[in-house]
Amino acid sequence: MRSSEERVFISLDLESPNLNAKLPNNVSWFNVQEIKNNFIERNLNKLILSFNNQIPWNEKLNIENIYKFLNNGNDINILIQDYNFIGWAWQTKSGIIQDYDLTVKLKPHQIYQSKWLVDKKFLYNRQNKNLSFAWIQNLKKFYKKQGFTEGVAYIDSWNKGVLKSCLRSGYKIKNWT
């Protein structure tokens, strides 16, 4: 479990203009609403291992967590380079968010974004310089087309690099709780 460290709440207006961003070569992403084949499940298990090894708190995920999340009508967006799953972002599309000691009911047209991960070996590669920035812009367009108007999340206060990337991508510090 996470300690009750300070959080920075952020919000992204999905209706604001998109910033100019292009995913690096050989990088794309796709939206998962259900796991349809063994290839996806096998690669999600690899990404779970990366997540469990790279996050600096005691949250550990397994494939059952993913099935449960998706079965509740949520999405997981998978970032890929060539055929490697290199990252994910989880989007809760409605209902009540219960994330450790945080409990919030989402407003209509609001989406909650969590468990962002880009595997460190890809994130810090020079060829992927604007990877996070471009991916956030792509996700913004995707969810705007679905009728969402605001993306909300929080970042642990110690995670200054992620906060900087999010602010550069158009997020604003905003207490939405």
Side-chain angles (χ1 to χ4, degrees), residues 3-58:
S3 65
S4 59
E5 68 233 356
E6 186 178 331
R7 296 180 178 127
V8 178
F9 293 89
I10 59 174
S11 170
L12 179 63
D13 177 0
L14 300 182
E15 296 181 327
S16 65
N18 270 358
L19 303 173
N20 188 15
K22 183 177 182 272
L23 286 171
N25 289 337
N26 300 323
V27 175
S28 60
W29 65 277
F30 67 97
N31 178 268
V32 177
Q33 296 174 346
E34 64 179 295
I35 298 173
K36 296 181 180 180
N37 61 51
N38 288 334
F39 174 80
I40 291 175
E41 185 171 333
R42 231 181 4 264
N43 282 286
L44 282 172
N45 275 310
K46 290 177 188 175
L47 204 50
I48 288 168
L49 288 175
S50 293
F51 181 85
N52 289 342
N53 288 328
Q54 292 181 24
I55 59 166
W57 55 85
N58 295 329

Side-chain angles (χ1 to χ4, degrees), residues 58-73:
N58 295 329
E59 178 181 18
K60 299 298 179 195
L61 295 175
N62 59 47
I63 197 70
E64 294 307 316
N65 299 120
I66 291 176
Y67 276 110
K68 181 179 177 185
F69 186 76
L70 294 174
N71 287 338
N72 285 333

